[in-house]
Amino acid sequence: MQASVSLRLVLILGLLSAIGPFAIDMYLPALPQIGSSLGAEVGAVQASLTAFFLSIGVGQLLYGPVSDMVGRKPPLYFGLTVFAAASVGCALAPNIETLVAFRFVQGLGAAACMAVPRAVVRDLHTGHAAARMMSLLMLVFSVSPILAPLVGSGVIAVAGWRAVFWVVAAAAVLGLIATWRGVEETRTAEARLDSSLGGALKAYLRLLRDWHYMGLVFLGGCAMAGFFVYLAGSPFVLINYYGLSSTEYSMAFALNSIAFIGASQLTGRLGQRFGLVNVVKAAASASGVTMVALLMYYVMGGEQLIVLIVLYFIASAFMGLVIPTTSVLALEEHGEIAGTASALLGTLQMLSGAAAMQIVGHFSNGKPLPMVTGMALGALVGVALTWITLGRTAGVRVAHD
């Protein structure tokens, strides 16, 4: 009975965590169409992505401490409601400026669904048990980038890009129902007594001074940054430059998600055998080597799409080991402020991704090289952070059950 309840909770938390990414991945195939429809240039259309990432990042700074103070469920109710209302605004947007504004508000709502589920996992488990639950959550979460572009391309073909936002609004309503029916409060009343706004500010200062925590956060952030650069650039590179259809693009995008999902399911097993720290070291280093190989291919004049797809498939698999594992390690020693620690983690990682996306966007010309360069630089910075943060650690700070 307990196992079935736990599985149901993981499923719901994974689906909640996927609502924000779903709102990204589902409309990726429509980015060129949105530009044509609203008379906007590539940079302006990409700004709708940047606005979403900025707000979903900053919003987590609020939801984390609030969830420590009032419990995990009320922030979820509020965030999902805001997300649904903003999605309707996006669907009705008459111009690119309005779309960007509503995307910002939409991200503020989605922030609750990013910060709170990680805190729930930390409320219930630590160590390898947390890694296993986090990997299962990532399994459900990662269904989004597989299905969302395919669903999005189908919706776009039938009803146009605006219908995408009606669909994600409906998903938020379903998320509200699932939270109400299937999520128990994991932040006890006793634990909330020690939580306050002043305490949250002190907790943020404490976390910002914890070099180990910050190193792990930005290590995962580098992996996320490379992925965000790919998110922003791949529709224009794969559809406009390489000539893929929206459906073909969605299938190519899904391959990376399959690699991420498959690898993430090994984190618990590999962590038990080799230690979570060693898993991060090996995976981050391998991802860096793979991305450098891809960059060298394009620098030397390579043009084959299959090389981009295959090498990024491999890099995505290694990221599937890095991202959930670094999250577990970062939160391991901060259980009493799990919501706040989860929020800061999510904020810094999202802002890292948004910054990388914006910087690379200034150099984007619709060709693969600027995008690949940004992805490779993110991976290399991640390798450097890995060895600075964990280089002398061989399991000493590995999470325990």
Side-chain angles (χ1 to χ4, degrees), residues 237-299:
V237 171
L238 271 63
I239 294 175
N240 291 348
Y241 186 79
Y242 281 111
L244 299 186
S245 67
S246 294
T247 301
E248 290 170 337
Y249 166 77
S250 300
M251 294 175 67
F253 190 87
L255 282 174
N256 303 321
S257 303
I258 292 170
F260 186 96
I261 289 173
S264 69
Q265 296 314 293
L266 300 175
T267 54
R269 187 179 306 171
L270 292 174
Q272 282 184 314
R273 182 170 181 180
F274 301 107
L276 296 180
V277 167
N278 291 327
V279 170
V280 173
K281 287 182 184 178
S285 300
S287 177
V289 170
T290 304
M291 289 309 305
V292 168
L294 180 59
L295 176 60
M296 290 299 99
Y297 174 77
Y298 277 103
V299 167

Side-chain angles (χ1 to χ4, degrees), residues 13-229:
L13 292 178
L15 291 174
L16 290 175
S17 299
I19 283 179
F22 200 79
I24 300 167
D25 302 331
M26 193 172 174
Y27 97 130
L28 285 178
L31 290 183
Q33 187 184 115
I34 290 172
S36 300
S37 173
L38 299 180
E41 297 181 353
V42 171
V45 177
Q46 288 183 334
S48 67
L49 273 173
T50 303
F52 187 88
F53 283 127
L54 285 172
S55 61
I56 201 174
V58 173
Q60 291 181 68
L61 289 176
L62 174 63
Y63 288 114
V66 168
S67 75
D68 284 340
M69 289 185 280
V70 305
R72 308 305 184 197
K73 295 183 72 171
L76 286 174
Y77 290 142
F78 178 81
L80 286 165
T81 301
V82 170
F83 179 89
S87 298
V88 173
C90 290
L92 301 175
N95 51 55
I96 191 64
E97 292 80 12
T98 303
L99 178 64
V100 170
F102 273 114
R103 284 289 281 172
F104 184 86
V105 178
Q106 193 185 40
L108 290 177
C113 299
M114 299 297 291
V116 176
R118 284 192 302 263
V120 171
V121 171
R122 181 57 185 81
D123 288 340
L124 298 173
H125 299 291
T126 61
H128 298 302
R132 285 192 295 270
M133 189 171 184
M134 190 72 77
S135 66
L136 286 172
L137 191 151
M138 293 299 295
L139 173 61
V140 179
F141 170 85
S142 299
V143 169
S144 171
I146 294 177
L147 295 182
L150 293 171
V151 173
S153 61
V155 170
I156 293 162
V158 172
W161 66 267
R162 295 180 187 275
V164 167
F165 293 104
W166 290 110
V167 171
V168 297
V173 173
L174 292 176
L176 278 168
I177 296 171
T179 301
W180 171 53
R181 296 289 300 272
V183 178
E184 299 293 332
E185 181 58 64
T186 59
R187 180 72 169 175
T188 65
E190 292 79 9
R192 295 178 220 166
L193 293 175
D194 296 327
S195 300
S196 64
L197 183 58
L201 294 176
K202 291 179 181 178
Y204 278 134
L205 288 174
R206 168 184 158 190
L207 291 167
L208 289 170
R209 292 169 180 166
D210 185 341
W211 67 267
H212 188 79
Y213 169 85
M214 293 294 290
L216 288 164
V217 166
F218 280 112
L219 202 169
C222 287
M224 296 284 280
F227 179 59
F228 288 170
V229 169

